[in-house]
Amino acid sequence: MVRHGQGRSSVFLVCVARDPELENAIEETTGEAPHILTFGKRQLIPLPLDKGATVGQISDSIYDAESKRWTATIAVYRYR
């Protein structure tokens, strides 16, 4: 899970480990390749919980896809 921002303004983004089969299924379903988030050796596919969000895409309010930069501080948490 990725936490964007701090305190009460935090936004959480659930992610799964990058998997070629999942990546292909998302692309076939949505017509677009999913964003791949890279944190060192770890690569993740986002699963946004926002209303109307598309799997594999990230809201422009938290991530600038062109510059490949977050719009605020982030933290990555691993859950099993």
Side-chain angles (χ1 to χ4, degrees):
M1 183 160 41
V2 175
R3 184 187 77 202
H4 175 273
Q6 296 180 348
R8 291 183 178 205
S9 64
S10 292
V11 175
F12 292 89
L13 184 64
V14 176
C15 302
V16 294
R18 184 178 189 183
D19 175 8
E21 289 182 28
L22 176 59
E23 195 173 341
N24 290 335
I26 291 171
E27 188 169 357
E28 288 176 9
T29 303
T30 65
E32 295 181 33
H35 285 289
I36 303 300
L37 305 177
T38 303
F39 302 95
K41 293 182 181 179
R42 185 178 299 152
Q43 293 186 321
L44 306 172
I45 297 175
L47 303 175
L49 301 175
D50 302 334
K51 183 178 180 180
T54 302
V55 172
Q57 303 303 310
I58 306 171
S59 170
D60 293 338
S61 65
I62 65 172
Y63 186 77
D64 182 0
E66 287 185 24
S67 67
K68 296 184 179 180
R69 296 182 89 49
W70 296 95
T71 60
T73 303
I74 64 157
V76 180
Y77 300 91
R78 186 174 182 177
Y79 288 95
R80 288 187 180 198

